[in-house]
Amino acid sequence: MIPQIILLSVLIFIMAKMMPGDALSGLIDPNIDPATIEAKREQMGLNDPWYQQYGRWVDDLLHGDLGQSFRYKMPVTELISQRLMNTLWLSLATLIFTYIIAIPLGIISGRYNDSLADQAITGYTYLGFATPLFIFALVMLWLFGFHFGWFPTGGSVAPGMEPGSFAYVLSKINHLLLPAISMSLIATVGTVQYLRNEIIDTKQKDFIHTARAKGAPETRVYNKHIFRNSLLPIAAFFGYEITMLIGGTVFVETIFSFPGMGQLFLESITMRDYSVVTSLVLLFGIASILGALLSDIILSLVDPRIRIK
Amino acid sequence: MGKDVGVMTDKEELQHVTKSPSGFSIVWREIVRDKLALVSLIFLISITAFVFGTSYVLDQDEIVSVDLFSIHQPPSEEFWLGTDYGGRDVFGQLIIGTRNSLSIGILVTLMTGLIGIIFGLVSGYFGGHIDNVLMRILDFFMILPFLMIIIVFVAMVPKYSIVSFSLIMTAFLWMGIARLIRSKALQERELDYVQASKTLGSSNLKIMFTQVLPNLTSIIIVNMTLNLAANIGLESGLSFLGFGFPESTPSLGTLLSYATNPQTLEFRWWIWMPAAALILLLMLSVRNVGEALKRATDARQRRG
């Protein structure tokens, strides 16, 4: 994991160096004498060899300094922390909906496989796999945001709300619902299908026959024996869900004009605010590394066979 | 088939009947047996033929040139699907967009396939240290937030063109097929025919590409078909965000990106809805065909 983060930081540093302009180009007035700019560059160390610059960059990172956003004229850390909570709430809501949808559907479809309900659920997962998230989100916004007007069509909170009040929280939740539901309806199909296959597999195991032979009632067989064993691999995928959410938020936040990190990323790249772009890519990269690590940890907790000696 | 055997006296024809079916006929039977896949295949072939055929007649530059006198017109006899904010014919853009989306989808799929096959074959065939190093590289690519990195590269490349766009996409999408090929090559290299060929003195290169590779073709074709659907979706997603095709070369995603304007989304559905439906249909059909191919390669799942 540590080598991966180091490699990621090198890649992002190279990307940052390849981007046109540097930390100075946004700050200065074009009328200043080029010699002064050159002196300033020298002073800031932009003419140093790359390994020194990289070292300084990493050192700053470790001290929580991500540079300055020239568009907002504020430190990147501050800018990101304003948006971070929105994205975190959106991801959390999406994860909750994903599992609320996936678990019952997976169980129904696995327990009564080849029934009508199973066929409907399998049909849904088939469609869900083929539908790109952004098209689905657009249709959801058009249908429920504009056509029926059930949900707000943009922003993360209604204007003029006082932070901390109950109405504020309600408005926040209201703004979260449609993006989170849209994203989870697409993100959940993998989990539904996996849970279904897992249950169908477990159903035929010997210990299930034993449980039935002992006379355990059918509900107990399903709830205690099958469900618990089928859920373990799903728990392990939790970390990878986080990785998948990252790509999703970029689309969903843009479509629902939701002020989170994904939207900030696209805005900054359009405005060529590169210090923000590099910081965000780094953060998202670290988040997906941590997600993969989390999955490995959960997997080794629930399944002793793959624990590293 | 069986009832004809008795009638046939010609020895050559008898041999023809008892021969096990060829790969192509298995695939064909599987597709015909699965009505959905058959319809999808017919749809795909006809839409490809239509789109590439009409784009000879249609002039891309004429369609994408701005006409300020006909901005945002509703569907009419002249403009079947109305016009966009630049007065450009949406129907023409839809045809050209489909052609562009399909072309780049196929191009990226082929390129990722090529890199993935070589990478996976080398890694799986040699195994050991080479495999170890290559897999660490692959792991690193796997954890990258590839969507964001593709966007950054698209925004950064100075002379941006279709070629650079497909190269950037390829650079971050070859891992899936590489991993698949590697795991199959690992199994394949333990088989007797590889050992025999080695003993006979064939070079590693020859074994890999003329002996192991042909045994993996069916998996490669299935995987690439499914990748094609994903790549069409990803390309239109990137164009939707404004980091795919430039506006002068419309793709299906470009048409959808007009819907980021709430006015267009709410009141001018004819601009974005057909493109959305078309992407969905294309992806579904490619997947349907891919699933049928997948069943054809696995005798246990075959329906026919």
Side-chain angles (χ1 to χ4, degrees), chain A residues 4-248:
Chain A
Q4 282 182 338
I5 291 185
I6 294 172
L7 258 177
L8 178 76
S9 75
V10 173
L11 179 78
I12 290 172
F13 180 74
I14 295 171
M15 258 167 44
K17 284 290 128 190
M18 274 166 67
M19 287 171 187
D22 54 40
L24 266 180
S25 45
L27 291 173
I28 44 173
D29 180 341
N31 301 325
I32 297 177
D33 173 31
T36 327
I37 302 176
E38 201 44 49
K40 184 82 184 158
R41 284 177 65 92
E42 190 64 50
Q43 188 201 331
M44 287 179 74
L46 290 173
N47 295 336
D48 291 351
W50 68 271
Y51 51 87
Q52 281 185 16
Q53 291 195 40
Y54 174 72
R56 215 168 25 241
W57 182 68
V58 171
D59 191 53
D60 285 346
L61 280 182
L62 294 176
H63 289 95
D65 179 9
L66 295 171
Q68 284 276 335
S69 155
F70 79 79
R71 181 163 153 243
Y72 291 96
K73 304 274 184 276
M74 62 158 99
V76 176
T77 26
E78 212 174 295
L79 184 64
I80 288 178
S81 59
Q82 289 175 357
R83 304 291 192 103
L84 182 69
M85 284 327 277
N86 280 338
T87 298
L88 280 186
W89 285 123
L90 178 64
S91 313
L92 187 70
T94 309
L95 278 178
I96 293 173
F97 281 121
T98 303
Y99 288 107
I100 288 184
I101 299 166
I103 291 175
L105 288 192
I107 291 177
I108 293 171
S109 158
R111 178 166 176 177
Y112 307 106
N113 63 314
D114 296 332
S115 70
L116 205 64
D118 175 42
Q119 279 169 12
I121 292 168
T122 318
Y124 157 65
T125 54
Y126 196 80
L127 273 179
F129 263 124
T131 312
L133 172 65
F134 73 102
I135 292 183
F136 185 69
L138 261 183
V139 173
M140 290 287 275
L141 176 66
W142 175 71
L143 201 62
F144 296 107
F146 286 105
H147 197 70
F148 291 127
W150 293 350
F151 293 98
T153 55
S156 73
V157 70
M161 291 280 184
E162 196 180 318
S165 68
F166 186 60
Y168 179 83
V169 176
L170 273 187
S171 164
K172 276 244 162 192
I173 294 177
N174 196 18
H175 281 77
L176 268 181
L177 279 178
L178 192 59
I181 292 175
S182 311
M183 196 151 49
S184 52
L185 276 173
I186 293 295
T188 199
V189 292
T191 320
V192 173
Q193 214 167 49
Y194 202 82
L195 187 58
R196 172 181 184 267
N197 296 342
E198 202 61 38
I199 288 181
I200 293 176
D201 270 359
T202 323
K203 260 190 348 195
Q204 291 147 3
K205 294 262 168 73
D206 282 342
F207 69 90
I208 299 303
H209 294 305
T210 316
R212 287 225 176 85
K214 280 194 312 188
E218 203 63 2
T219 38
R220 196 182 152 82
V221 170
Y222 271 96
N223 294 344
K224 277 253 166 187
H225 298 271
I226 295 181
F227 182 53
R228 202 182 269 183
N229 279 291
S230 314
L231 212 56
L232 296 182
I234 305 296
F237 271 114
F238 180 73
Y240 293 115
E241 290 289 339
I242 296 177
T243 319
M244 286 196 286
L245 275 177
I246 290 170

Side-chain angles (χ1 to χ4, degrees), chain B residues 243-284:
Chain B
F243 296 95
F245 279 104
E247 213 167 87
S248 56
T249 7
S251 102
L252 289 173
T254 321
L255 282 171
L256 276 161
S257 71
Y258 297 144
T260 40
N261 173 356
Q263 289 288 317
T264 303
L265 181 65
E266 194 176 356
F267 303 113
R268 292 186 281 264
W269 58 267
W270 54 83
I271 294 182
W272 61 274
M273 201 80 99
L278 204 52
I279 294 177
L280 212 61
L281 277 176
L282 280 177
M283 286 180 68
L284 266 175

Side-chain angles (χ1 to χ4, degrees), chain A residues 241-262:
Chain A
E241 290 289 339
I242 296 177
T243 319
M244 286 196 286
L245 275 177
I246 290 170
T249 49
V250 176
F251 284 111
V252 168
E253 285 177 6
T254 312
I255 290 167
F256 292 93
S257 6
F258 188 85
M261 301 213 292

Side-chain angles (χ1 to χ4, degrees), chain B residues 233-248:
Chain B
L234 187 65
E235 176 277 316
S236 50
L238 284 166
S239 300
F240 167 77
L241 292 174
F243 296 95
F245 279 104
E247 213 167 87
S248 56

